[in-house]
Amino acid sequence: QVQLVESGGGLVQAGGSLKLSCAASGRTFSSYVMGWFRQAPGKERDFVAAIRWSRGSTYYANSVKGRFTISGDNAKNTVYLQMNSLKPEDTAVYYCAAAATYYSNSGSYYYTEPYDYWGQGTQVTVSS
């Protein structure tokens, strides 16, 4: 079992920055893919970014590419999402997730199905 706890959300003005953290406990997640998703009211949960530990590869949704950066610290069992140049449309609850299954097609991790563990979410609100 893996427990995930997000933190770092809050209220920020458009153009500002926030850094989200996801602390993992339980089984080591060094072999997992870790992802960030977000869900706005009345909308589906959408992929934001992911990191594959074994390769150090990172993946981003087009809507956040160039503005958000995913990173991780194995020693601290923590994954981060640095969010810059925030826009009102980035407003959502942000969820951290861990996938324990390997898929050779990295595109699989852009969907919620491969993820086995989820955090409780942290609210990010960007005011205009």
Side-chain angles (χ1 to χ4, degrees), residues 31-88:
S31 60
Y32 292 20
V33 168
M34 300 294 295
W36 286 97
F37 287 76
R38 66 187 182 186
Q39 188 167 19
K43 296 189 176 181
E44 294 185 349
R45 190 168 297 188
D46 292 331
F47 172 77
V48 175
I51 183 167
R52 190 191 289 267
W53 288 115
S54 61
R55 303 177 185 175
S57 304
T58 57
Y59 312 95
Y60 297 95
N62 288 334
S63 59
V64 306
K65 201 170 293 184
R67 300 189 297 123
F68 291 12
T69 303
I70 187 171
S71 63
D73 186 332
N74 262 322
K76 296 182 178 180
N77 282 355
T78 301
V79 175
Y80 305 98
L81 185 68
Q82 176 67 48
M83 305 185 295
N84 299 328
S85 302
L86 283 161
K87 305 176 181 179

Side-chain angles (χ1 to χ4, degrees), residues 77-124:
N77 282 355
T78 301
V79 175
Y80 305 98
L81 185 68
Q82 176 67 48
M83 305 185 295
N84 299 328
S85 302
L86 283 161
K87 305 176 181 179
E89 51 263 44
D90 294 319
T91 295
V93 177
Y94 283 70
Y95 296 92
C96 174
T101 302
Y102 172 78
Y103 291 92
S104 59
N105 179 5
S106 298
S108 300
Y109 297 106
Y110 284 59
Y111 301 92
T112 59
E113 286 77 9
Y115 293 88
D116 305 284
Y117 306 100
W118 292 85
Q120 83 289 349
T122 185
Q123 176 70 46
V124 171

